[in-house]
Amino acid sequence: MKNILLPTDFSDNSRNAIEYALHFFKNQSCTFYLLNVQKASSYTTDDLMTSPSDTSIHQSVISGVKQKLNHMVEELIKEHPNDNHTFQTITDYDIFVDAIRQTIKSKDIDIIVMGTNGATGASEVVFGSNTLNVIRKIDCPLIAIPEGYKFKTPKSILYAIDYWDHFNEEGITPLMNAIEYYKSTLRILKIKEDDTVTIADFDDKKRMKAFFKEINHTFHFIINVPTALAINSFVQIMEVDMTAMFIKRETFLDRFIKKSETSKISYGTQIPLLIMHSNE
C-alpha cells in the first residue's frame, strides 16, 4: 500500500496534478492524502465579520475547507472509480512546508505529487514558490506536474545527472518503481556545461550498467550546453515522457530551472519531473 500526498489549493493546476496521480498509480493500492494548508495571514476583516460569534476564525475557515475537500473526494471517486484507491483529507493551519513535513511523518508518505504552481519570478521559471520550497527543504520524493499536462504512460524516462555528481543507489527506489511498473526505457544523460571533458569521462558508466542490467537503458553525454537547454532538447528529440533527477546540491537545480544567460531559453517543464534526494 502506497501513501501518496496530494497538496491542493483548489486551483486547476493542483487538481490537474491530482488527476495525474490517480492515473499514474491507477493499478496500485494507494491511500491518497489530500492536504490543504491555511495560514493566518490569509484571513481578512471579511472573515472576522462573517464568522459566527461562537466560533473562532480558525474553526470557521477550516470548516469551509473541509467541506471543499470532502466535495473534491466525492468528485474524484465518481470520476475515477477504483477499488485500489482510498482517500483521506487533511486541513492544516501552518506554514506550508512545515505542514508538508508533519504530514509526511504522521502518515508515512511515500511520495508527493503536486503541480508546478506557475511562475513569475526569475528564481521560479519552472516552479512556484510552494513547490520549489518542498523540493529544496523536504526530503521526500516528489513528482512535479506541469500545468495542463495530461497523463501519458511513461514509456521513456530520462535520468539526468550533473557531471560532478556520482551515481548512488540510495534514494533511487521511486525511479526504479516507475521503470519496472511501466517497463520504461531509461535514458541516462550526464551534462557538463563547458567543454573541458570528453565522452570518456562518464566515470559511473560501469556501475550503472551493472545496476540497470535488467532494464533497457542507454547512455548519453552532452557537453558545453546549458543544463536547461540540454534537458529540454533531449526530451524533445528522444520523446521522453518523464524526467528524473537527484537534488543533492542547489547548483544543479538552479541551472535546471533558471533561464540561461547564454541561451535565453528556460526549460518550461514540458513533462513531469521526478525529484529524488540523496544524503551523499
Side-chain angles (χ1 to χ4, degrees):
M1 172 74 74
K2 290 184 180 296
N3 294 324
I4 317 297
L5 179 57
L6 305 174
T8 179
D9 57 3
F10 304 111
S11 65
D12 290 341
N13 195 20
S14 64
R15 178 59 180 261
N16 185 63
I18 292 171
E19 299 276 347
Y20 180 93
L22 297 185
H23 285 289
F24 189 83
F25 297 104
K26 182 177 181 179
N27 297 315
Q28 301 179 54
S29 296
C30 303
T31 297
F32 293 101
Y33 293 89
L34 276 66
L35 169 68
N36 178 266
V37 183
Q38 296 290 318
K39 57 183 180 180
S41 61
S42 66
Y43 301 143
T44 65
T45 303
D46 288 340
D47 295 317
L48 287 167
M49 298 298 292
T50 58
S51 178
S53 58
D54 59 344
T55 65
S56 68
I57 301 174
H58 169 265
Q59 291 173 325
S60 178
V61 174
I62 291 300
S63 176
V65 170
K66 287 181 178 179
Q67 290 180 11
K68 291 179 72 173
L69 285 173
N70 290 335
H71 179 65
M72 181 182 291
V73 168
E74 291 173 359
E75 289 182 340
L76 293 172
I77 292 174
K78 183 178 180 180
E79 295 171 8
H80 304 274
N82 191 328
D83 291 338
N84 292 317
H85 295 169
T86 58
F87 297 87
Q88 292 192 27
T89 63
I90 304 171
T91 58
D92 205 343
Y93 184 79
D94 204 345
I95 296 171
F96 185 79
V97 171
D98 290 344
I100 295 286
R101 185 178 289 111
Q102 291 165 12
T103 304
I104 289 170
K105 184 177 180 180
S106 64
K107 304 301 182 183
D108 194 22
I109 297 299
D110 295 297
I111 195 166
I112 305 165
V113 182
M114 61 189 299
T116 52
N117 292 21
T120 54
S123 65
E124 299 170 6
V125 172
V126 174
F127 305 108
S129 59
N130 279 343
T131 308
L132 192 57
N133 281 332
V134 172
I135 289 172
R136 283 179 165 157
K137 299 177 181 179
I138 301 295
D139 186 15
C140 181
L142 179 147
I143 304 178
I145 310 301
E147 185 173 2
Y149 185 89
K150 301 305 178 185
F151 177 79
K152 181 181 179 183
T153 300
K155 296 179 180 178
S156 177
I157 298 178
L158 167 63
Y159 174 25
I161 307 173
D162 181 46
Y163 174 74
W164 301 108
D165 287 332
H166 298 285
F167 178 67
N168 185 355
E169 296 91 343
E170 180 188 355
I172 205 169
T173 299
L175 174 60
M176 296 302 294
N177 286 345
I179 292 170
E180 292 169 357
Y181 184 80
Y182 285 105
K183 297 179 172 56
S184 310
T185 295
L186 179 65
R187 311 292 187 187
I188 303 168
L189 173 66
K190 261 204 170 184
I191 302 167
K192 184 72 165 64
E193 290 199 335
D194 59 44
D195 58 1
T196 59
V197 295
T198 64
I199 298 297
D201 288 312
F202 207 133
D203 58 345
D204 291 329
K205 191 170 184 178
K206 186 175 181 179
R207 285 185 62 201
M208 285 189 281
K209 269 191 171 182
F211 185 81
F212 295 117
K213 63 181 179 181
E214 303 298 328
I215 295 167
N216 181 13
H217 64 278
T218 57
F219 291 91
H220 309 266
F221 202 116
I222 294 180
I223 301 172
N224 204 25
V225 176
T227 298
L229 181 58
I231 293 177
N232 187 32
S233 300
F234 192 93
V235 163
Q236 294 184 54
I237 293 171
M238 302 301 291
E239 298 183 348
V240 172
D241 304 306
M242 174 179 280
T243 298
M245 66 169 63
F246 276 97
I247 299 302
K248 301 177 183 177
R249 302 175 304 157
E250 285 192 4
T251 52
F252 189 41
L253 175 65
D254 289 340
R255 291 202 303 275
F256 174 70
I257 66 175
K258 288 183 178 179
K259 185 176 293 185
S260 167
E261 291 302 318
T262 301
S263 66
K264 301 298 181 184
I265 297 175
S266 62
Y267 176 61
T269 317
Q270 298 174 355
I271 60 175
L273 173 66
L274 169 61
I275 295 290
M276 300 169 289
H277 299 266
S278 171
N279 294 324
E280 185 184 65

